[in-house]
Amino acid sequence: MTVSKVLGHDDTSGFDFVKRTLKNNVTSAINFDRLQKDPIKGYIIFEFLKCEEGQTVTPYTSHPNRYWNKNASKFLSLWRARQDFNATLYLVNYAEENTKFEDQVLLIEVIDMDENGITSEHQTKHTMKSFSKWFITVNNRCLKSKEDLAYEIYNNKSIDELGKITLRKGKHQRETIEKIYNTDFGYLEWHSCSNYEYSKAVMCYLQKRKHINEQDKGI
């Protein structure tokens, strides 16, 4: 079961702390509005671009290329992150609730950019209702349980790293997974199917060990 929480107010304490720490130095970082991993598309980066009520542009007509000279470093940094994560980059133009253009949402999927601006993109004009429906679908597809997240993290570790993990509880507490594998294989099989601590680490270890054994046998 996936357990998460509904969004509340943004926590600005981290931003305030960094500002206080850097003093008057220029920051080298950018803040993602959202970074999430989609089981279909991989990592997705969202950047939300608010159109102020007093501006002459609307969410449908505003575009980063129009103010590129003012914010080029931000968008180039987003694009570099997109490349590093092999991600999808979405820019979302929107207006605040209870303003004239609150029902306009422009979704821009950036396909390519260079130092002078976005050079290739896919645009979708949404109403607030249609964007919300699309966004909820994407969000829900990305939800993961703690167990699924743990499995993915452990699956990226080598068999040696997994083997060195020490169980903290139970029959074999203070023993490594590798040692238990050599002395009590049946216990590890049982543990991997339980909900106990490190069960996903044990599962990944057994899967990797099985793969190695099959390779050794030429299966």
Side-chain angles (χ1 to χ4, degrees):
M1 179 180 178
T2 300
V3 179
S4 190
K5 62 179 182 179
V6 177
L7 280 178
H9 295 292
D10 287 342
D11 180 4
T12 60
S13 60
F15 175 83
D16 291 339
F17 175 73
V18 170
K19 184 177 179 181
R20 179 160 56 93
T21 305
L22 284 178
K23 301 185 184 301
N24 293 322
N25 288 275
V26 176
T27 181
S28 61
I30 56 166
N31 294 320
F32 297 156
D33 284 324
R34 288 180 70 91
L35 174 66
Q36 57 197 67
K37 189 175 184 181
D38 188 290
I40 299 172
K41 301 176 73 71
Y43 280 104
I44 301 176
I45 298 170
F46 283 98
E47 182 67 16
F48 297 103
L49 308 172
K50 183 171 70 173
C51 293
E52 300 290 350
E53 191 170 17
Q55 292 178 303
T56 57
V57 294
T58 72
Y60 284 169
T61 62
S62 181
H63 193 280
N65 286 355
R66 296 179 64 133
Y67 51 91
W68 189 260
N69 290 337
K70 295 181 180 179
N71 233 345
S73 293
K74 171 183 177 178
F75 292 112
L76 289 172
S77 294
L78 283 168
W79 187 247
R80 181 180 63 179
R82 180 267 183 199
Q83 292 176 319
D84 290 343
F85 280 99
N86 192 25
T88 298
L89 174 59
Y90 287 122
L91 308 178
V92 183
N93 287 351
Y94 73 100
E96 285 190 335
E97 192 175 9
N98 298 321
T99 60
K100 183 177 181 180
F101 298 106
E102 66 176 346
D103 203 37
Q104 291 188 7
V105 182
L106 181 65
L107 179 67
I108 304 172
E109 180 181 354
V110 182
I111 307 302
D112 200 6
M113 75 169 64
D114 61 24
E115 62 187 287
N116 296 309
I118 296 171
T119 58
S120 181
E121 65 192 80
H122 291 152
Q123 286 194 12
T124 306
K125 288 183 177 180
H126 281 282
T127 62
M128 188 61 203
K129 181 178 179 180
S130 68
F131 178 78
S132 178
K133 181 179 179 180
W134 175 84
F135 194 58
I136 288 171
T137 299
V138 174
N139 177 76
N140 290 348
R141 198 167 63 220
C142 296
L143 290 173
K144 288 279 190 177
S145 67
K146 174 188 173 184
E147 291 74 23
D148 288 340
L149 290 170
Y151 178 85
E152 291 184 11
I153 290 169
Y154 289 129
N155 201 39
N156 284 323
K157 289 182 176 291
S158 70
I159 192 167
D160 289 336
E161 290 173 317
L162 291 169
K164 292 176 182 177
I165 292 175
T166 301
L167 302 190
R168 303 190 305 169
K169 302 174 183 177
K171 176 182 176 183
H172 290 284
Q173 62 178 320
R174 294 191 292 275
E175 294 182 29
T176 65
I177 292 176
E178 182 179 22
K179 180 180 179 181
I180 302 168
Y181 178 84
N182 293 322
T183 59
D184 196 350
F185 177 76
Y187 176 85
L188 276 193
E189 281 194 311
W190 171 83
H191 190 92
S192 70
C193 298
S194 73
N195 291 321
Y196 289 125
E197 185 178 81
Y198 293 126
S199 63
K200 299 305 179 185
V202 172
M203 180 181 292
C204 290
Y205 180 84
L206 292 178
Q207 289 172 346
K208 291 175 185 288
R209 180 62 70 183
K210 180 181 178 181
H211 180 68
I212 290 173
N213 291 342
E214 289 175 348
Q215 284 184 320
D216 291 342
K217 295 177 181 178
I219 299 176

